Amino acid sequence: MLKKSVGILIIICTLLYSNSCTKDAYYPDVCFQNDILPIFLTKCATSGCHNSKDHAKRIDLTNYDGIMRHVSPHYPAFSSAYTQISSGEMPPEGYSALTEKEINLVKAWINMGATNSSACSAPCDTAIHTFSGGVQPILDMYCKGCHGDQVAKGGINFSSYAGVNSIKSSRLLGSIKHLTGVLPMPEGASALSECQINTIEKWVNEGSLNN
Amino acid sequence: MVAIQKKVFEISLLSFFLVILSFYAHAQDDLLQMAQEAGKTKDYVFATFKDTRIVNLQSIETTKKNSLDFLVQHRFGNAGVDAFHGLLGLDASRDIRIAFNYGLTGNFDINLGRSKMNELVDLGFKWRFLSQTADFKMPVSVALYMNCGLNAQSDASFYSGVTDNTFSKRFVHRFDYVTQLIVASKINSKLSLELIPSIYHRNFVKGALNPNTNVADENELLSIGGGFRYKLTKRFAILADYMYTFSAYRKDNPIFPYYHPLSVGIEIETGGHVFHLYLSNSGGIMENNFIPNSPDSWGNGGYKLGFSISRSFWLGN
């Protein structure tokens, strides 16, 4: 009796498990218009191949809609636009092959849902390294979830200048640069981009002003 | 077309699980039959391990029938880095987990826990469906461990770094799943060995690509773990485990360092209580935390002290 109920419990769990199971991703540095389309344009839509004029095998890879006919969002393994290039079948011999980095970028874009994204990653310019213009937006985006008015983990609150300035600058920089001796931040995620770290470092070097 | 492909993929995934399950059920029937045929002379091996975990990894043991275990697990900061000012990392605790384990049968328990790291709430079960016999006719015990984790952080924390405002946030993003097959063998009265193939699935991943290869973080992570327990005296044993995760994203990644979790510990048995004291380079206590994320290395002083205390409540007659 007990064995039976345990069995039923497991089957229910498995059904719940496979029904709530999904697959989604967000990679800030993958952008269709800036990163993905240029790959298809230079490597696949060359003269005589998959462009809107020649339509080799009736495939047109010069625009989003044309590419999406060969893409199954979130499932690179079911997307011929990815499987053809990852297996090396395309481009054919004699044409310049895709680099490993390009192939992986296409895979990441499909994993992410293959959206027609244009202005993706937050612009970062180390020339703008004032508190309000450069530093605060980065802290808002990456840190305030845990170090804000609502949560303030470790007693650290980045929602105002006073809160940021109360942290020793060596500790702030050490954390985001993943130096030993301080907790690497953001916790459990990849580090900030080099440009973002440089922006904060420049602001610190100029005296951590409230500007 | 695409929708059909996805449906086919999901159905095949589901049927794969069901086939495995029916195989398990069948295997157990066989075992039951064998046990009945042999009368009551069958001797099963007991106490392959003393606790439901080795150090980081699940052990083959389940909570005793009708027993409710209340568990408090601690993982401190980097002992080799904060040695003096942080008192061996004790000031900077990385993870604390409070959990309940309940033994439904002698071979099946359910677990519910909550961790500090990622505010993880985990609900899982462990089912030992094959037991090793003392005469080595069945040389191993095998168990299935599954859990479902919920990342309960605020939206701002969970989606930090998602710069695209049009990105659709869904509640299912917060779930992740651990599925492990635990194969253990008590070689002799002193030495027990264990091997754990494991699949970890996250519904949502985020983060920058590996700058060397452009490989993106994976939703599925395959790992293989191994561990042992060696009994030195009647009350004292040494433990160790290691989990290797196959991930192209985590390999040589300068912005997301990853060191496969290696843990060593001692086990002291004090009349009814089992006390574990150990060192590990992983910060997370649960699989849901230490498989995807383990940024500290033993070499840089990134080993952390940890211990667990438990109290059993007997709920049977």
Side-chain angles (χ1 to χ4, degrees):
Chain A
M1 184 59 204
L2 199 56
K3 281 221 166 72
K4 210 172 203 174
S5 58
V6 166
I8 290 166
L9 195 72
I10 291 175
I11 287 169
I12 290 172
C13 284
T14 314
L15 284 171
L16 281 176
Y17 184 105
S18 31
N19 273 325
S20 66
C21 195
T22 155
K23 199 166 174 287
D24 209 346
Y26 182 81
Y27 312 118
D29 35 17
V30 184
C31 197
F32 178 74
Q33 295 289 343
N34 305 355
D35 308 315
I36 307 298
L37 189 57
I39 297 174
F40 283 108
L41 288 179
T42 54
K43 297 288 167 81
C44 314
T46 44
S47 172
C49 303
H50 304 305
N51 57 40
S52 14
K53 202 175 120 229
D54 300 305
H55 277 120
K57 299 216 167 155
R58 284 188 284 173
I59 295 170
D60 179 2
L61 297 178
T62 55
N63 56 60
Y64 180 73
D65 291 333
I67 292 169
M68 285 310 285
R69 294 172 69 130
H70 313 282
V71 166
S72 165
H74 299 295
Y75 295 89
F78 297 139
S79 307
S80 56
Y82 170 71
T83 53
Q84 289 287 317
I85 56 175
S86 66
S87 63
E89 243 161 275
M90 280 285 154
E93 235 175 283
Y95 292 86
S96 77
L98 280 84
T99 64
E100 196 198 334
K101 283 183 100 167
E102 287 171 332
I103 295 172
N104 287 333
L105 203 63
V106 172
K107 187 182 182 186
W109 171 69
I110 297 174
N111 257 336
M112 230 173 106
T115 51
N116 187 2
S117 43
S118 45
C120 310
S121 44
C124 175
D125 183 0
T126 53
I128 306 165
H129 52 272
T130 57
F131 181 73
S132 55
V135 176
Q136 183 102 65
I138 298 172
L139 298 179
D140 281 357
M141 183 55 67
Y142 292 93
C143 317
K144 243 172 80 176
C146 300
H147 301 300
D149 284 330
Q150 279 186 336
V151 187
K153 279 191 180 159
I156 296 167
N157 185 339
F158 282 162
S159 46
S160 67
Y161 170 78
V164 182
N165 202 36
S166 68
I167 310 300
K168 251 196 269 173
S169 53
S170 63
R171 196 171 151 207
L172 176 68
L173 286 179
S175 266
I176 59 172
K177 288 164 109 173
H178 289 200
L179 301 182
T180 50
V182 279
L183 280 176
M185 289 287 159
E187 191 177 27
S190 52
L192 300 179
S193 74
E194 215 176 308
C195 170
Q196 288 163 331
I197 293 172
N198 288 340
T199 304
I200 295 176
E201 193 167 20
K202 273 191 176 178
W203 170 73
V204 166
N205 288 343
E206 291 189 357
S208 307
L209 303 170
N210 186 7
N211 49 13
Chain B
M1 185 62 195
V2 164
I4 294 169
Q5 278 175 333
K6 261 196 274 183
K7 207 73 218 161
V8 167
F9 178 70
E10 276 162 15
I11 289 170
S12 56
L13 202 74
L14 183 64
S15 44
F16 173 72
F17 278 122
L18 288 177
V19 165
I20 286 186
L21 275 175
S22 57
F23 168 72
Y24 289 153
H26 186 68
Q28 197 170 44
D29 281 351
D30 277 359
L31 201 72
L32 265 174
Q33 228 165 29
M34 276 157 60
Q36 276 159 4
E37 279 162 16
K40 286 188 175 176
T41 52
K42 200 131 200 164
D43 272 342
Y44 291 110
V45 159
F46 63 95
T48 309
F49 291 90
K50 275 281 154 132
D51 200 1
T52 53
R53 282 173 183 268
I54 307 177
V55 178
N56 267 338
L57 303 188
Q58 297 287 339
S59 81
I60 191 79
E61 302 298 334
T62 59
T63 311
K64 286 187 179 64
K65 187 179 176 178
N66 289 336
S67 170
L68 180 74
D69 282 12
F70 173 64
L71 208 68
V72 182
Q73 293 163 293
H74 276 268
R75 191 70 52 87
F76 296 104
N78 289 337
V81 179
D82 319 319
F84 182 71
H85 283 293
L87 188 64
L88 295 168
L90 261 62
D91 287 354
S93 92
R94 282 293 179 85
D95 202 0
I96 300 162
R97 179 169 180 260
I98 295 171
F100 291 97
N101 294 346
Y102 179 69
L104 221 54
T105 76
N107 289 321
F108 188 97
D109 71 0
I110 44 180
N111 326 296
L112 176 66
R114 196 270 188 189
S115 304
K116 174 192 174 193
M117 190 179 275
N118 290 331
E119 296 175 33
L120 171 80
V121 180
D122 62 274
L123 176 66
F125 70 84
K126 197 193 287 177
W127 175 25
R128 187 174 53 221
F129 55 87
L130 271 184
S131 290
Q132 184 185 353
T133 55
D135 58 8
F136 271 83
K137 270 189 181 151
M138 172 52 69
V140 292
S141 301
V142 188
L144 174 72
Y145 173 76
M146 279 172 130
N147 86 36
C148 176
L150 169 71
N151 187 323
Q153 287 177 299
S154 68
D155 255 19
S157 304
F158 186 72
Y159 290 108
S160 74
V162 175
T163 45
D164 182 0
N165 291 328
T166 60
F167 185 82
S168 63
K169 298 169 178 176
R170 294 161 61 202
F171 186 68
V172 284
H173 281 162
R174 294 167 172 278
F175 287 104
D176 54 7
Y177 311 89
V178 175
T179 308
Q180 298 183 325
L181 202 64
I182 305 168
V183 184
S185 183
K186 191 170 184 175
I187 305 295
N188 54 40
S189 62
K190 284 183 187 295
L191 181 67
S192 301
L193 298 176
E194 190 171 285
L195 197 69
I196 307 182
S198 158
I199 307 171
Y200 172 62
H201 174 88
R202 278 176 294 175
N203 280 351
F204 174 66
V205 295
K206 61 169 188 191
L209 305 182
N210 184 333
N212 291 334
T213 54
N214 273 348
V215 173
D217 198 356
E218 300 95 344
N219 288 83
E220 273 90 28
L221 291 172
L222 286 176
S223 322
I224 180 107
F228 73 86
R229 170 176 179 264
Y230 188 79
K231 216 164 109 180
L232 289 173
T233 71
K234 206 176 168 189
R235 303 212 169 277
F236 191 80
I238 51 173
L239 308 159
D241 62 36
Y242 179 71
M243 190 107 177
Y244 184 89
T245 299
F246 300 92
S247 166
Y249 178 66
R250 283 159 179 73
K251 209 171 157 195
D252 303 324
N253 190 336
I255 63 163
F256 191 84
Y258 186 82
Y259 297 91
H260 303 280
L262 169 71
S263 321
V264 293
I266 53 170
E267 178 184 273
I268 306 157
E269 222 193 311
T270 56
H273 281 270
V274 178
F275 187 71
H276 278 185
L277 184 69
Y278 49 83
L279 287 171
S280 173
N281 66 319
S282 82
I285 290 167
M286 282 302 290
E287 286 80 0
N288 313 50
N289 281 327
F290 73 72
I291 291 178
N293 178 25
S294 173
D296 300 308
S297 87
W298 276 78
N300 293 337
Y303 44 89
K304 303 160 183 65
L305 272 166
F307 70 84
S308 58
I309 44 177
S310 68
R311 174 75 214 173
S312 299
F313 298 95
W314 184 248
L315 299 187
N317 300 317

